[in-house]
Amino acid sequence: MYYNENTIVYLNGEFVKAADAKMDLYSQSLHYGYSVFEGIRSYKTVNNETKIFKALEHFERLKNSADAMNMPYHWTTKELIDATYEVLKRNSLQDAYIRPVIYAPANMSFVKNKKSFIVIEVWQMQPFLGDKLLRVMTSSFQRPNPKGFKIQAKAAGHYVNSILASQEAKKEGFDEALLLDMNDYVAEGPGANVFFEKDGKLFTPSLGNILPGITRATVLEICSEMQIPVEEKQFTIDELKNADAAFFCGTAAEVIGWESLDDTKFPKPWNETVGRIIQEAYMHKVIDKAYKKESKREFERA
Ligand code: PMP
């Protein structure tokens, strides 16, 4: 489902068939989860063009992740963006999910490598968490402690934590997990950042113990355009349960509202929330479609 016999990937400077592409089974990345990656989306814009949303931000984060992990990185952002557009073209994809991965050579020791490798894969992907309001569960897993991991980096190994939390939530009959940080403040989802709404104002966890999401930054940008009050701060699960509404946001998930957290249902109908306005603005922004910056005020009058 991710690829077929015709799919092309970018592999270390060449465009090759995914089915023929090889990597070293002795790679330090496979054995120790030591690789970094990005999750990016491209969209078909209103002008029928293919646009990688926030391409610069994603490829800069990829480089920063590699630097944080001491992985050699010799690519320029421009060459990787150009290569990604070419992979999209060769796979005839406009609306796509894009996954660049920087990985390590064969190395069973913990010694720093002299080189890294890259693959860029693209495939069609629906919103990662679906399009229905989510029933979210507070995870028994905490996010990795920033004193143990470079939490601001998108490193493969961190995602073992995400997989454990997400699988636990699904096993308990929920749609997705919400993880706290090592101080019991709300952190983020396994693959998305979180916002909540209280009395018309939005709140989101401050940076420090979370992945600095590019969608989170886009939501803050939309809030500033629409003059929606928003605050970054640390908050507890009790404060979140007392909210009017909440949503996850991330490149793969886009903006998706919550129905409930554990056994607490959010009282405000999603269609009447600030989150819904943000969701609509976001879906316009990614395809370069104009949206009314004054929607917030219209919403208040309604
Ligand atoms: N937190 C985590 C743990 C993630 O994996 C992601 C997805 N990259 C996000 C937040 C959202 O980040 P972004 O908006 O940059 O996709």
Side-chain angles (χ1 to χ4, degrees):
M1 64 176 176
Y2 294 106
Y3 68 97
N4 60 32
E5 69 274 16
N6 299 318
T7 305
I8 301 292
V9 298
Y10 176 81
L11 185 67
N12 303 311
E14 288 175 42
F15 297 94
V16 299
K17 284 199 165 179
D20 298 336
K22 289 196 173 76
M23 79 168 274
D24 198 323
L25 292 178
Y26 294 74
S27 163
Q28 207 181 20
S29 303
L30 179 64
H31 291 257
Y32 305 127
Y34 183 69
S35 65
V36 295
F37 67 100
E38 264 307 313
I40 313 173
R41 272 189 192 272
S42 63
Y43 293 89
K44 179 178 165 183
T45 69
V46 280
N47 303 318
N48 262 339
E49 285 159 1
T50 306
K51 193 175 113 186
I52 302 173
F53 187 64
K54 302 273 179 187
L56 275 178
E57 287 83 347
H58 280 285
F59 281 102
E60 287 298 310
R61 189 171 66 185
L62 184 66
K63 178 176 179 354
N64 291 338
S65 295
D67 289 348
M69 294 293 140
N70 310 317
M71 298 182 85
Y73 192 96
H74 63 265
W75 301 276
T76 67
T77 290
K78 182 178 180 317
E79 84 179 274
L80 294 186
I81 293 176
D82 289 349
T84 304
Y85 274 111
E86 185 60 27
V87 183
L88 288 167
K89 199 166 131 196
R90 291 191 187 215
N91 289 288
S92 307
L93 283 175
Q94 290 197 286
D95 290 307
Y97 185 73
I98 301 159
R99 176 53 64 82
V101 186
I102 307 290
Y103 60 96
N107 180 1
M108 292 301 153
S109 80
F110 301 151
V111 171
K112 187 176 170 179
N113 297 301
K114 293 201 170 57
K115 60 181 173 181
S116 302
F117 300 106
I118 186 167
V119 63
I120 303 176
E121 300 161 357
V122 300
W123 64 89
Q124 255 176 332
M125 193 171 80
Q126 295 305 309
F128 190 57
L129 298 171
D131 54 8
K132 294 199 177 59
L133 294 185
L134 300 174
R135 295 174 57 253
V136 177
M137 179 190 124
T138 307
S139 185
S140 71
F141 295 96
Q142 290 180 340
R143 284 300 283 164
N145 186 327
K147 288 184 176 160
F149 289 93
K150 302 269 184 80
I151 194 72
Q152 79 283 5
K154 222 169 147 52
H158 298 173
Y159 284 80
V160 176
N161 170 258
S162 297
I163 289 171
L164 288 172
S166 200
Q167 290 184 354
E168 176 193 53
K170 286 178 181 118
K171 188 166 163 235
E172 297 295 325
F174 291 85
D175 299 312
E176 188 54 299
L178 174 73
L179 293 96
L180 307 184
D181 68 17
M182 70 289 182
N183 298 320
D184 277 346
Y185 289 112
V186 171
E188 59 191 328
N193 291 115
V194 58
F195 281 76
F196 79 82
E197 173 182 340
K198 184 72 183 173
D199 300 331
K201 183 173 174 182
L202 291 181
F203 297 86
T204 194
S206 4
L207 299 181
N209 300 333
I210 58 170
L211 185 82
I214 290 164
T215 320
R216 175 186 180 278
T218 309
V219 169
L220 295 176
E221 203 179 295
I222 293 171
C223 286
S224 143
E225 287 168 0
M226 291 190 163
Q227 295 168 14
I228 295 169
V230 58
E231 189 180 332
E232 299 169 62
K233 67 165 197 174
Q234 293 188 316
F235 54 87
T236 62
I237 205 81
D238 287 341
E239 194 172 345
L240 176 53
K241 284 187 178 173
N242 196 29
D244 299 325
F247 62 88
F248 271 140
C249 68
T251 302
E254 298 174 324
V255 175
I256 181 74
W258 292 12
E259 179 183 307
S260 58
L261 174 59
D262 302 328
D263 50 8
T264 305
K265 210 168 151 80
F266 291 96
K268 205 165 188 182
W270 174 247
N271 279 338
E272 295 171 21
T273 61
V274 178
R276 172 73 184 118
I277 293 172
I278 304 261
Q279 182 183 46
E280 209 165 283
Y282 185 77
M283 294 322 293
H284 279 60
K285 209 177 192 45
V286 294
I287 58 166
D288 280 343
K289 191 167 167 188
Y291 55 93
K292 283 197 222 143
K293 307 274 157 66
E294 67 276 15
S295 333
K296 169 68 168 97
R297 267 163 276 147
E298 269 182 14
F299 161 76
E300 276 175 344
R301 276 201 301 271

